[in-house]
Amino acid sequence: MVNFKRLGATALSAVLTLSAVPVMANGITNTLYTFDGGYQENAQPLLNFGSFSGIVTEIGLDGSVRVQNAEGGTVVFTMGINTFLLGDVVVGAEVTGFYNASGFMTLQYPPHHEAAVIAQTPHSILVDRFEFQENGYFVSAGGELALNFGEDTPIHFADGINVRDALYGRTLEEVLDGRKLVVTYAATNRMIPAGTIPSDPALSVTVLFETAVHLPGFGIDLEIGAGNTELAVPSYQYATGIVTYIAKTEGEITRIRLRVEEDIYVDFNKDHLTHVMGADIAIGDTVKGFYNAMLPTPMIWPPQYTARVLINENTQEESALFNFVGRFELLDEMSFISESGNGLILNIGDDTPLYYADGTSVRDNLYGRTLQEVLDGRTLVVSYTLSNRAMIAGTMPSDRALSVVVLFERAVTLPGINLDLTGGSIWAYNYGISVNGRMLDALWHYQDGGFFVPFRAVVNMLGFGNTINWDDETREITVFNGTHEIRLSIGADTFTVGETEVVLSNPAILVNDTTYVPFKFFQVVFGMNNAWMSGGQIFIDNEEVMDVLSSSP
């Protein structure tokens, strides 16, 4: 049986005990997802997988794996957020490590590669991106292998979840097409290229994590699986300079160049997690950029860093003279200490402004947690003017300039919320549906800019379920709301109430053979007093008619 393992927070020097099997409910509940924006359909980074086989001679405290082959050659495999481990990777084990040979690497000996996969298996193994062909095979990008599997072939995501149980409205071919796969096999046919044999008992497929995978029905790009969010403690450093160059894509800044000194420049790349403070950055502004010095950087000039925080000092309030970026741990009731860097103790008061990176108040969006639980272990931007004279400087709660911004993380667990998403009110939804004060045992659905609810489930809760009729040929549904017959068709945004036609902004749709309608259907068409959304929940009721009809969160 294949032993699926994921990179965890702790790596012992002799053995890696790394496992994570998320618990699923309603198809997605309690499965850890990671958010990554900027998804572009069919955008695939250049990948050319290289490999190195040998004996594990050392496992570092940081999880790095040193491998030596029979000729004495040595490679050190470092662990990334999506590194996948197959089998028992222990000192003395014979393993094969796969890495992106087209990616950046540091110039040092022995060579260091961030591992995509480290496998310990007696069978043949190939890691590559596979594409679906008309003959029904999936062929590797390198043309080495044609993947042919059967109904019983084990196919899992990298966290061990069965792919067939988590298709999310897609076919199996759609899930696998264009994805990076780990294929383990013992036998092949004699075709060109060689093809796996469905009856091969050793044949198994693992779908590796991607930076962003679009799942239909979700308005955001999610990553299936856990993803390691407890990498090495970040150490944030900064550079300050004059902006001499700005690169933009579709009007959004993607890179800036700072002149730090006369002939010294630094480039900062801006991504979806970069937090910008102050006014819009322009040529000539003085900007301070913070970056994680623990992350690898390409060996190019001028040096390039991914900015975690960019501060436009031209427009920052003069009272905020100091800025500190770091991950903080709870010290006592209202004090937190930075985990690395020069060190700072954050002491906050009842009136200290605390915000998420989207500007929403932390205190107003605790999501069932205490303030201490929200801030503990999070990366914070602390702005202040005053500090005490302790061995490790500490902020003063009375400092009127003191403020804290909680930066977005790749994955933050929020209790009671069906998806573990970035903190802050923008992405934290609980997907609940309330009908006349009772919670529906179903989730709402997002598609094409609209929010949809399951038609039959809501009608049943309203007591009219026995009036529903479905015409399989016309794909038309009729229902009686107690006053009028209502007709709707899948794919049509026109709904008929008696003899009156009503047009909504979205049509009725089918999701996994279940009819969904825009949640406003139950107010505008069905005749309920209210259908509105707040805090990620949809409310449908016959309470007093609301003055403002909200159609979006």
Side-chain angles (χ1 to χ4, degrees):
M1 179 177 179
V2 176
N3 181 16
F4 289 97
K5 299 188 176 181
R6 288 285 293 131
L7 182 60
T10 303
L12 302 180
S13 59
V15 60
L16 295 179
T17 55
L18 312 170
S19 62
V21 179
V23 178
M24 298 191 69
N26 295 326
I28 51 179
T29 304
N30 294 334
T31 302
L32 185 61
Y33 291 76
T34 60
F35 162 74
D36 197 346
Y39 172 79
Q40 296 180 352
E41 191 169 0
N42 296 326
Q44 296 178 351
L46 178 63
L47 282 175
N48 177 25
F49 284 104
S51 64
F52 184 87
S53 299
I55 304 297
V56 177
T57 60
E58 181 183 351
I59 296 178
L61 292 176
D62 60 353
S64 61
V65 178
R66 182 180 291 260
V67 179
Q68 184 174 0
N69 64 16
E71 290 75 33
T74 300
V75 166
V76 175
F77 288 106
T78 59
M79 298 295 177
I81 191 171
N82 287 331
T83 299
F84 175 68
L85 302 179
L86 177 63
D88 293 318
V89 180
V90 298
V91 172
E94 185 174 353
V95 302
T96 299
F98 294 84
Y99 60 93
N100 181 9
S102 300
F104 293 111
M105 62 173 290
T106 56
L107 297 177
Q108 57 182 308
Y109 182 83
H112 286 55
H113 299 288
E114 181 176 314
V117 176
I118 301 180
Q120 184 272 321
T121 173
H123 305 297
S124 299
I125 185 169
L126 179 69
V127 178
D128 206 345
R129 194 181 294 278
F130 284 73
E131 292 188 354
F132 185 66
Q133 307 295 315
E134 293 181 357
N135 59 9
Y137 284 76
F138 290 85
V139 177
S140 63
E144 303 172 52
L145 187 69
L147 172 62
N148 185 24
F149 54 83
E151 295 181 354
D152 298 326
T153 300
I155 305 176
H156 295 84
F157 290 111
D159 55 8
I161 293 177
N162 189 324
V163 171
R164 293 182 175 90
D165 294 336
L167 296 176
Y168 299 102
R170 300 168 295 172
T171 65
L172 185 58
E173 288 75 18
E174 289 173 335
V175 172
L176 299 182
D177 187 26
R179 292 298 296 269
K180 292 178 290 186
L181 307 180
V182 181
V183 181
T184 303
Y185 58 98
T188 60
N189 58 32
R190 297 184 179 182
M191 302 290 289
I192 299 178
T196 59
I197 300 174
S199 60
D200 180 2
L203 179 62
S204 68
V205 179
T206 300
V207 182
L208 294 181
F209 297 141
E210 305 280 353
T211 301
V213 176
H214 184 70
L215 301 182
F218 292 93
I220 44 185
D221 296 321
L222 302 176
E223 173 58 70
I224 298 174
N228 175 29
T229 61
E230 300 184 23
L231 299 174
V233 175
S235 176
Y236 289 98
Q237 299 181 13
Y238 67 87
T240 304
I242 306 297
V243 179
T244 62
Y245 170 79
I246 296 176
K248 292 185 177 182
T249 301
E250 296 182 353
E252 292 290 329
I253 291 178
T254 56
R255 179 184 298 177
I256 64 173
R257 176 165 294 175
L258 303 183
R259 186 177 68 243
V260 179
E261 294 182 16
E262 185 63 29
D263 295 316
I264 299 178
Y265 295 84
V266 171
D267 283 0
F268 280 108
N269 296 318
K270 178 180 176 291
D271 65 12
H272 67 282
L273 290 180
T274 301
H275 179 61
V276 180
M277 299 175 64
D280 293 341
I281 296 172
I283 299 292
D285 286 347
T286 299
V287 171
K288 177 184 288 185
F290 287 85
Y291 61 95
N292 183 2
M294 298 298 291
L295 297 178
T297 58
M299 302 291 291
I300 60 177
W301 190 93
Q304 287 187 16
Y305 304 103
T306 298
R308 197 67 172 92
V309 178
L310 292 173
I311 300 175
N312 191 337
E313 295 193 337
N314 284 36
T315 56
Q316 190 181 26
E317 294 184 12
E318 294 183 3
S319 58
L321 297 180
F322 303 104
N323 300 101
F324 186 95
V325 178
R327 185 182 293 169
F328 284 77
E329 286 187 340
L330 182 65
L331 189 60
D332 55 37
E333 185 175 355
M334 295 297 280
S335 296
F336 302 81
I337 186 170
S338 62
E339 295 182 349
S340 64
N342 296 327
L344 181 72
I345 293 179
L346 171 62
N347 301 304
I348 60 177
D350 292 338
D351 298 325
T352 301
L354 303 171
Y355 297 98
Y356 290 111
D358 58 7
T360 56
S361 168
V362 172
R363 290 186 173 91
D364 294 339
N365 294 277
L366 296 176
Y367 301 105
R369 301 168 295 172
T370 65
L371 185 60
Q372 290 80 0
E373 289 173 335
V374 172
L375 300 181
D376 186 26
R378 293 298 294 271
T379 301
L380 310 178
V381 183
V382 182
S383 301
Y384 61 102
T385 58
L386 303 175
S387 62
N388 57 33
R389 297 184 178 181
M391 182 174 296
I392 299 178
T395 62
M396 303 180 67
S398 59
D399 182 359
R400 293 187 177 182
L402 177 62
S403 66
V404 178
V405 175
V406 182
L407 295 184
F408 290 149
E409 307 281 353
R410 288 186 175 274
V412 177
T413 300
L414 301 178
I417 294 178
N418 290 303
L419 295 177
D420 294 326
L421 301 174
T422 301
S425 61
I426 286 183
W427 302 110
Y429 293 131
N430 67 11
Y431 290 78
I433 304 170
S434 171
V435 180
N436 283 335
R438 298 167 56 200
M439 291 304 297
L440 197 66
D441 186 21
L443 304 176
W444 54 257
H445 176 90
Y446 181 92
Q447 182 172 313
D448 298 330
F451 295 84
F452 298 78
V453 295
F455 172 77
R456 183 178 292 274
V458 176
V459 173
N460 283 343
M461 187 164 282
L462 292 174
F464 297 98
N466 60 345
T467 70
I468 297 175
N469 286 300
W470 163 261
D471 190 318
D472 198 37
E473 285 190 15
T474 63
R475 294 163 66 88
E476 185 179 77
I477 300 171
T478 59
V479 63
F480 186 70
N481 67 353
T483 306
H484 299 94
E485 182 183 70
I486 297 171
R487 298 192 302 277
L488 57 143
S489 298
I490 302 301
D493 58 8
T494 300
F495 303 81
T496 304
V497 184
E499 301 299 325
T500 303
E501 291 188 344
V502 178
V503 179
L504 296 182
S505 56
N506 293 95
I509 60 175
L510 275 181
V511 180
N512 294 331
D513 296 325
T514 299
T515 300
Y516 280 72
V517 294
F519 73 88
K520 278 296 179 182
F521 165 90
F522 284 98
Q523 180 177 9
V524 179
V525 178
F526 203 85
M528 301 293 290
N529 284 351
N530 302 296
W532 54 290
M533 194 171 197
S534 176
Q537 283 196 39
I538 289 175
F539 298 85
I540 299 169
D541 59 54
N542 267 329
E543 301 294 325
E544 183 178 350
V545 177
M546 300 175 64
D547 292 332
V548 179
L549 304 181
S550 171
S551 61
S552 62

